[in-house]
Amino acid sequence: DHLSFRDRPWLESTLALTAIGTATSRVGLGFSVLLPALRPYSWAAKQIATLQHLFGNRFLLGIGVGGEEPAEWKAAGVPRGDRGERTDALLTALPQLLSGQAVTIDGPGGTEIPPLLPAVGVPPVWVGGRSDAALQRTVRFGDVWLGAFVDPPGVATSIARLRELSDEAGRDQAPSAAVSVFVHVCSDRAEAERQAADYVAGIYGLDFSRMRRYVILGDEETVAEQLVSYIESGARGLTLIGACHRPWTQLERFAVVRSLVRSEVDEEPPDR
């Protein structure tokens, strides 16, 4: 979800997700992740409510704070430094907003919001990020922590921190963990690495050497074996990001990888 990002083409995410949702009937739909602080509180809530109304239990709400691209915050008229507080303010009020209640938002740019109808239930909330603030936000508001730029040992460390924070907050059960992983399934390892490096440089402007530890390359069996290490570290879900020139060409290979991972961990798969 970006307004503008490194001069690359970028569709508005809620409209794109709606188009996908109306063209399908079974697949789950979600953000990885929505940046609600880019929007007025009322419009962010209205967009979330509309997606929940249209797609019900197919909709998963991934939330993040962003901040990598200062120009888009300036264009949105939102102080970049307020993004964390604005995100927390929306998440605090979201259950009441989605239930059709009038709400007064106390965060930066806060306002009185009239009832937003139709009323809907709260979708599952996945909170993205890799900082301790993201883990704290997950414990306060989320069902799942969605990690990024993290390796299996880092997942285990973050899960331990989630449990610690949950105990401190008096939460009965800690949020579960999922991880976004950059993947290129390809039998030609050199070509896979070249395309992954191009992808990382184009999207994030980073040298591949800094990202290599978070990217999995190889054939289906090799990729599945490395993904299992995330499951063994405690992750209960994985989102695969095609790190290549044409990510949609990876989807059938991802399906094979998914089957291999499920057969390896030998357990009932999660809903998402």
Side-chain angles (χ1 to χ4, degrees), residues 1-6 10 32-39 62-74 78-88 91 126-131 133-134 137 146 148-149 204:
D1 177 43
H2 285 288
L3 180 62
S4 174
F5 195 78
R6 304 194 190 281
W10 215 274
S32 177
V33 287
L34 182 74
L35 307 180
L38 279 171
R39 302 160 169 83
I63 292 286
V65 299
E68 305 96 331
E69 189 73 2
E72 68 179 348
W73 296 90
K74 183 177 180 179
V78 176
R80 182 167 168 261
D82 288 350
R83 65 192 189 281
E85 289 184 75
R86 289 177 64 91
T87 302
D88 290 348
L91 287 171
W126 290 34
V127 179
R130 58 187 185 275
S131 66
R137 185 171 290 114
L146 178 60
F149 306 115
Y204 297 102

Side-chain angles (χ1 to χ4, degrees), residues 118-141:
V120 297
V122 180
V125 176
W126 290 34
V127 179
R130 58 187 185 275
S131 66
D132 196 66
L135 298 176
Q136 294 180 46
R137 185 171 290 114
T138 306
V139 169
R140 288 182 64 194
F141 304 111

Side-chain angles (χ1 to χ4, degrees), residues 168-213:
E168 293 174 359
R171 180 167 171 164
D172 292 338
Q173 185 174 357
S176 56
V179 188
S180 291
V181 187
F182 297 97
V183 173
H184 187 168
V185 185
C186 182
S187 56
D188 185 339
R189 183 63 175 264
E191 175 64 14
E193 186 143 348
R194 184 182 68 80
Q195 290 198 31
D198 288 347
Y199 176 89
V200 167
I203 295 290
Y204 297 102
L206 297 174
D207 185 88
F208 189 59
S209 61
R210 295 178 57 188
M211 292 279 290
R212 181 63 185 85
R213 64 190 293 192

